Every structure is written in C-alpha cells, then in structure tokens.
C-alpha cells in the first residue's frame, strides 16, 4: 500500500510503502500518486508543466536536412546535394519509387521545391511509415530540430 505524509499546504513530504503504518499523520493514496503531486480540496493533482513544449507546425528545409543527417537517415553528402540541387537522398528515392507512378512526379517536385516541411506533409508521413517511425518520433524530431 502507498501512503503519504503531507505539509500543511498539501504538498507531499514523503511517500511510504507499507501494509499498516503505525503513524497517524499519513493517508493512503492510489498507486499513480507521486511525491510531486499536491492534495487540494481532497483531490490529488499532478504537477503542472508550466512550459509545455509545443510541436512546431513546420521546420525549414535546412532544419529537416540537418535533422535527417544527425539522425543517420541520410549522409552528409546527400544532405548537401539536397540543399544545393534538390536531389533526392537514396532513402527518399527508395520511398518515392515505391509510390504509384502518378504520385512519384508529385513527390519529386515537392521534395525539390520544398522550402519548409509541414508536420502533415504526405511525403514525410510516407517516409515515417517506411522508416517504421511513429508520430511521436516525428513530433520529437520537429521539436529538436526546430531549434537549430
């Protein structure tokens, strides 16, 4: 069983794990309650993350290429070629080649002319599936590389 000892303001002093505590200044709590939770009006509340990091809606082409390079998805040489000429890195070429013929030209033009990469970019989301990455992975990528 999980028990806590509280400060007068409702913040937790300690979390205790025992069957039958001998202390009278502790109260039993649910397993999900942690030491950083607060008891307010008999309701346990988790800490509020004051600065919640928001996933950017887009990142620049430069940020995308640096991120793909840093993650080892494309080589530095492929990144420079993509930045200079719009060339498709080999992994992207493989992904584009797997598309239906009518979508391949759209994907190639999109890649070559893309100045920003939106979070909901169809080519990006096709690449995520191919690379077996989740939306959470994509969001983390956008958060991390939007800062460079």
């Amino acid at each position: 069983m999980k028990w806590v000892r509280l400060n007068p303001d409702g913040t937790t002093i300690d979390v205790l794990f025992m069957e039958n505590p001998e202390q009278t200044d502790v109260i039993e709590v649910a397993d999900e309650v942690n030491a950083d939770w607060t008891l307010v009006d008999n309701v346990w509340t988790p800490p509020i993350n004051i600065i919640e990091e928001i996933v950017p809606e887009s990142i620049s082409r430069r940020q995308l290429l640096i991120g793909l390079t840093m993650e080892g998805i494309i080589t530095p040489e492929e990144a420079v070629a993509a930045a200079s000429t719009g060339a498709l890195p080999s992994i992207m070429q493989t992904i584009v080649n797997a598309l239906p013929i009518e979508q391949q030209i759209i994907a190639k033009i999109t890649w070559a002319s893309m100045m920003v990469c939106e979070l909901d970019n169809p080519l990006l989301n096709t690449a995520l599936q191919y690379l077996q990455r989740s939306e959470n992975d994509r969001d983390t990528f956008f958060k991390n590389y939007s800062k460079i």
Side-chain angles (χ1 to χ4, degrees):
M1 301 175 119
K2 193 174 191 178
W3 302 79
V4 296
R5 183 177 295 118
L6 298 174
N7 284 313
D9 67 356
T11 58
T12 304
I13 298 173
D14 351 78
V15 176
L16 310 166
F17 295 92
M18 58 184 74
E19 285 301 314
N20 295 308
E22 294 178 15
Q23 297 98 331
T24 58
D25 61 340
V26 296
I27 58 173
E28 186 176 2
V29 296
D31 286 339
E32 62 269 8
V33 173
N34 292 312
D36 54 356
W37 289 39
T38 305
L39 182 63
V40 178
D41 297 327
N42 291 324
V43 176
W44 284 100
T45 56
I48 298 171
N49 186 355
I50 303 297
I51 304 172
E52 185 176 321
E53 193 172 8
I54 296 173
V55 179
E57 289 295 316
S58 64
I59 57 176
S60 70
R61 178 182 188 81
R62 175 181 117 354
Q63 291 166 328
L64 174 68
L65 294 172
I66 290 170
L68 292 172
T69 303
M70 299 299 285
E71 298 287 323
I73 297 169
I74 65 174
T75 67
E77 296 78 17
E78 288 176 319
V80 170
S84 321
T85 67
L88 281 168
S90 60
I91 189 77
M92 293 305 294
Q93 185 65 59
T94 301
I95 292 165
V96 168
N97 288 347
L99 295 172
I101 295 293
E102 62 277 1
Q103 292 179 15
Q104 288 182 21
I105 189 65
I106 294 168
K108 289 176 184 177
I109 292 169
T110 299
W111 177 266
S113 63
M114 178 173 50
M115 299 311 288
V116 296
C117 181
E118 290 88 11
L119 199 59
D120 61 354
N121 180 302
L123 184 56
L124 171 67
N125 290 312
T126 300
L128 283 173
Q129 290 174 353
Y130 181 84
L131 296 168
Q132 297 180 331
R133 305 282 172 100
S134 68
E135 286 185 10
N136 189 47
D137 294 332
R138 177 203 59 197
D139 294 351
T140 300
F141 182 95
F142 269 59
K143 287 178 194 176
N144 291 342
Y145 294 105
S146 68
K147 300 172 189 169
I148 58 170

